[in-house]
Amino acid sequence: MTAPSVTLPVAERRSALALPPWAVLGVLFGVLSAASIALFGPIGVSGTYPRLIGAVARRVTPEFAATNPYLVKMGSLVTPETMLVLGLLIGGFLASRVWRGGSGGARPLEAVHARETTPARRYVDAFVGGFLILFGARLAGGCTSGHIISGMTQLAVSSTIFAAAVFAGGMGVAHLMKAWRATS
């Protein structure tokens, strides 16, 4: 006895097999990350900033830059990481200019914190927060993006544990913030 077969129209079969967009982008990101590591080595973004400082120091005070072991170790400014940082800046700027809200105008300012009452205040907060994150990343010897992206792409156990902790911590903080907002 044979099992009854079910036939679906071609359109229904295709839609049943289609991956969600986030999965397709995840696979593409993984392939791109693996290719990047294979071609250039592990990649992150926080090393670009001391390289920029080193490039400026080599122009302004070459003797200081040549004798500073950290700046010497960081090397040249022109690296794949620098191109990644430039791409992130350009992409963020273009996205902010191209994508508009439903009304056809610029998206309204989302006040994440109560004191962010003006765009200038938000920019100051973003700059201070970015500086603190960068300072912490350099103090730790690397950034989360390099550790998670490059480390997990290389199947490093420590990076997988770190990524799980980062996401678990982020989800926990988001839950606490949501509960706090609901009570205020």
Side-chain angles (χ1 to χ4, degrees):
M1 181 172 210
T2 61
S5 64
V6 177
T7 58
L8 296 172
V10 173
E12 286 183 32
R13 280 187 284 173
R14 277 197 194 126
S15 67
L17 299 175
L19 291 173
W22 59 264
V24 173
L25 291 174
V27 169
L28 289 173
F29 182 76
V31 169
L32 182 62
S33 295
S36 170
I37 289 171
L39 294 171
F40 303 110
I43 195 165
V45 297
S46 66
T48 299
Y49 301 99
R51 285 187 190 100
L52 176 64
I53 291 169
V56 170
R58 281 189 282 284
R59 294 272 185 196
V60 176
T61 58
E63 59 284 343
F64 169 75
T67 59
N68 185 304
Y70 183 70
L71 295 179
V72 170
K73 178 183 108 174
M74 292 312 294
S76 171
L77 178 62
V78 182
T79 63
E81 289 91 352
T82 303
M83 299 304 119
L84 175 63
V85 170
L86 286 174
L88 291 170
L89 291 171
I90 293 168
F93 175 78
L94 291 176
S96 74
R97 297 294 176 232
V98 171
W99 189 75
R100 302 287 183 187
S103 64
R107 291 183 68 208
L109 178 66
E110 179 184 332
V112 178
H113 303 285
R115 67 186 204 144
E116 289 181 346
T117 54
T118 65
R121 183 73 241 172
R122 186 172 184 169
Y123 292 140
V124 168
D125 287 353
F127 179 82
V128 170
F131 178 81
L132 291 173
I133 288 172
L134 180 59
F135 182 78
R138 293 317 310 153
L139 189 63
C143 61
T144 55
S145 63
H147 197 34
I148 292 173
I149 295 168
S150 292
M152 286 187 67
T153 304
Q154 297 175 77
L155 302 177
V157 174
S158 63
S159 294
T160 304
I161 293 169
F162 177 72
V166 166
F167 285 104
M171 289 169 23
V173 168
H175 180 71
L176 290 173
M177 288 179 69
K178 184 177 180 182
W180 177 71
R181 280 192 174 170
T183 61
S184 29

